[in-house]
Amino acid sequence: MLSIVLVLVLASGVIELIIGNYFYDYVIKNDAKDFIPQGVSLDTENPNYEALNWYKNEVKKTLWTQESTDGLLLKSDYLENHSEKTVIIAHGYMGSRQDMGLYARMFYDLGYNVLLPDARGHGESEGDYVGFGWAERKDYQLWINQVIQKKGSDSKIILFGVSMGAATVMMTAGEKLPSQVKGVIEDCGYTTAKEELAYQQRQMFPKIPAIVSIPITSLVTKFRAGYFLGEADALQAVQKSRLPILFIHGTQDHFVPTSMGKRLYAAAKGNNSHNHLFLVSGAEHGEALKKDKSGYYQEVETFLFSIKL
């Protein structure tokens, strides 16, 4: 009888490890994902063609590099606008800096220098896993320091991100940052990697209970990438941060549910009088700027003006 129990326990453990490694490879390893669109098409029929083409082919870009604390070569485009104000823009999951032309143009037109890193494991930056903002927060601290070193101690820095990039800048905001960092704008970021992955699993693999798969995937992630999924916690970060934060979310976001954006704002609301939530009616995930360009621009400008930038 004891031998049967041992066999069942071992078999259960093997099955759990198989599931954990499967989900690690499916979500966290930085292979191309069939459930994520690859890149932004530069099509003249695209209503945003002008801004995308401006970033890709017209504006002068300088390559900046950075070595991460764990030895990865990270790359970034820098757009000089002869200003003391600089925005650091963080792209989304399985994206790259090439996807962020719309946002680069918006901030450039507002008078900002623009720094657009490729997150570790994305674009031209080294790395073989996705950190969901937790590992990346340290990388963005290094980018902040490089801006200050190159542009001077009178720099005024804004952190901006979309989706996973939004989670990244929120987690960065939870760290002790130089006084030159003046604020954060996050667009459709998630509360925690654990909650987001559990939510996605229920949509994509409803027959596999997240209560089983997420903990074992987190354990596999710790062994293979060095962090637990529960550590990637933007909710806790914004609770700690005293920086002003503009939260943006679409009301029809079914990838990172709108409720997450509301919870993030609620967690940070009392920390700074300039914190604000902007909900874009009818916008799906990452589509707020495209859905309401004028409203988006106005909210961003109003927020920056309110913090004297």
Side-chain angles (χ1 to χ4, degrees):
M1 182 65 179
L2 181 58
S3 62
I4 294 174
V5 172
L6 288 173
V7 168
L8 290 174
V9 170
L10 286 171
S12 175
V14 169
I15 291 170
E16 287 183 357
L17 284 174
I18 290 171
I19 291 173
N21 277 284
Y22 172 79
F23 280 113
Y24 179 93
D25 289 341
Y26 192 74
V27 177
I28 296 162
K29 191 176 179 182
N30 69 334
D31 295 334
K33 312 298 182 186
D34 57 10
F35 56 91
I36 295 290
Q38 298 302 302
V40 177
S41 175
L42 189 60
D43 184 344
T44 55
E45 298 301 315
N46 187 326
N48 301 300
Y49 171 81
E50 182 182 357
L52 295 172
N53 184 63
W54 169 85
Y55 172 66
K56 186 173 182 179
N57 297 316
E58 295 180 7
V59 70
K60 181 180 178 182
K61 297 182 285 288
T62 303
L63 178 66
W64 284 17
T65 61
Q66 182 75 60
E67 183 176 339
S68 69
T69 56
D70 52 348
L72 299 176
L73 177 62
L74 308 175
K75 295 186 177 182
S76 177
D77 282 341
Y78 175 73
L79 283 56
E80 176 63 61
N81 205 8
H82 306 290
S83 173
E84 64 179 8
K85 301 183 296 184
T86 300
V87 62
I88 304 177
I89 294 179
H91 63 75
Y93 177 75
M94 299 313 299
S96 76
R97 64 192 194 266
Q98 299 296 331
D99 302 331
M100 306 304 285
L102 284 177
Y103 306 99
R105 183 62 184 267
M106 174 179 68
F107 281 103
Y108 193 88
D109 287 347
L110 288 172
Y112 282 74
N113 309 312
V114 184
L115 185 68
L116 300 107
D118 276 340
R120 57 170 56 212
H122 293 72
E124 295 182 345
S125 289
E126 293 181 344
D128 59 6
Y129 68 86
V130 178
F132 283 99
W134 185 244
E136 292 84 353
R137 83 194 193 288
K138 292 185 177 180
D139 302 334
Y140 280 78
Q141 287 178 271
L142 295 175
W143 289 122
I144 289 167
N145 291 337
Q146 188 170 164
V147 169
I148 296 169
Q149 290 165 7
K150 291 185 174 180
K151 297 300 297 177
S153 59
D154 59 348
S155 293
K156 297 176 181 179
I157 299 171
I158 289 291
L159 305 179
F160 173 89
V162 176
S163 192
M164 189 186 83
T168 297
V169 297
M170 285 189 283
M171 290 181 210
T172 305
E175 301 297 314
K176 185 176 181 180
L177 300 177
S179 61
Q180 287 85 354
V181 180
K182 303 300 184 183
V184 177
I185 302 174
E186 74 86 20
D187 183 339
C188 64
Y190 45 78
T191 50
T192 74
K194 202 170 184 179
E195 286 190 355
E196 174 61 14
L197 293 179
Y199 172 82
Q200 287 300 323
Q201 186 182 312
R202 288 192 292 270
Q203 313 306 309
M204 301 171 70
F205 301 95
K207 293 183 179 180
I208 301 177
I211 196 171
V212 173
S213 62
I214 296 299
I216 190 62
T217 302
S218 182
L219 185 61
V220 170
T221 302
K222 180 63 175 178
F223 278 103
R224 295 180 63 177
Y227 72 98
F228 290 110
L229 294 177
E231 293 180 280
D233 190 333
L235 195 63
Q236 185 180 71
V238 298
Q239 286 173 333
K240 292 195 309 182
S241 177
R242 295 299 179 265
L243 287 169
I245 305 175
L246 173 60
F247 298 86
I248 301 172
H249 224 102
T251 63
Q252 294 300 311
D253 192 335
H254 301 297
F255 193 82
V256 175
T258 310
S259 59
M260 287 193 180
K262 293 178 179 179
R263 287 172 57 204
L264 286 161
Y265 171 62
K269 185 177 180 181
N271 292 347
N272 191 294
S273 62
H274 298 292
N275 289 353
H276 180 64
L277 174 64
F278 174 47
L279 295 176
V280 180
S281 180
E284 299 178 8
H285 185 66
E287 297 292 316
L289 176 56
K290 298 174 186 176
K291 184 71 175 179
D292 183 7
K293 185 175 180 179
S294 62
Y296 197 106
Y297 272 50
Q298 182 177 348
E299 288 288 336
V300 168
E301 288 187 68
T302 299
F303 173 74
L304 295 173
F305 181 78
S306 75
I307 60 175
K308 297 180 172 56
L309 287 177

